[in-house]
Amino acid sequence: MIGNVSDAYNDYKIYPYALGNDRAEKDSAVSSSEECQTCKNRKYQDGSDEMVSFKSAAHISPQAAAGRVRAHEGEHVSNAYDKAAQKNGTVVYASVSIHTSVCPECGKTYVSGGTTNTAIRYPNEDNPYQKNRKAADATILPGANFDVAV
């Protein structure tokens, strides 16, 4: 998960008055072509215990943030599949969410982070419940698929 991350934005502006009002454009704090201080100083950092990108805080341009955050969260998904493969597990699901926020200074929407959720199922042969289930299945399954040629 990347926390305190942001940088991609839309070119939409929030106006204090109705669109088309000349005064609204003059009153906006930052024009659409320049970047406000908050957006300039925004940094992204990963808060997980995995070895992935963004372990130390780094700035990403607003135009590249969405792609970079998606790629970063993809690293977490890839790590889950690697971890499952190492211990004979199965990835049950992996989901990625990309979060957006609105800059309080300029009003632009930006990517504020991402979250990856994964679930891995590992076989547990030492678990007594697992052993009982296998024994019960062993008595039920033989003959379940019986083909007779006539």
Side-chain angles (χ1 to χ4, degrees):
M1 175 179 127
I2 295 181
N4 299 330
V5 179
S6 61
D7 231 11
Y9 64 93
N10 295 326
D11 286 329
Y12 302 116
K13 292 175 91 174
I14 298 174
Y15 294 105
Y17 302 102
L19 285 173
N21 186 340
D22 292 334
R23 182 171 175 200
E25 290 183 27
K26 291 176 186 172
D27 287 346
S28 65
V30 179
S31 74
S32 62
S33 63
E34 59 184 82
E35 196 174 40
C36 74
Q37 285 298 80
T38 303
C39 292
K40 260 186 204 173
N41 296 328
R42 187 170 294 120
K43 295 189 183 236
Y44 294 74
Q45 184 171 10
D46 179 74
S48 72
D49 57 356
E50 289 187 311
M51 288 308 300
V52 289
S53 58
F54 298 107
K55 290 315 281 181
S56 58
H59 176 74
I60 304 173
S61 73
Q63 297 81 6
R68 296 280 303 271
V69 170
R70 259 193 314 267
H72 169 83
E73 297 304 329
E75 291 178 52
H76 288 293
V77 173
S78 177
N79 287 349
Y81 277 95
D82 290 344
K83 185 177 176 183
Q86 290 173 357
K87 297 180 182 177
N88 196 27
T90 305
V91 175
V92 178
Y93 73 87
S95 67
V96 173
S97 300
I98 305 298
H99 310 288
T100 59
S101 296
V102 177
C103 178
E105 186 178 343
C106 65
K108 292 179 182 175
T109 303
Y110 63 93
V111 172
S112 57
T115 305
T116 300
N117 292 311
T118 58
I120 302 172
R121 181 178 54 212
Y122 295 100
N124 187 356
E125 302 298 329
D126 298 330
N127 184 339
Y129 296 107
Q130 181 75 12
K131 288 180 181 178
N132 287 342
R133 191 177 90 186
K134 282 189 172 188
D137 287 347
T139 61
I140 295 170
L141 294 177
N145 296 321
F146 184 70
D147 291 332
V148 178
V150 181

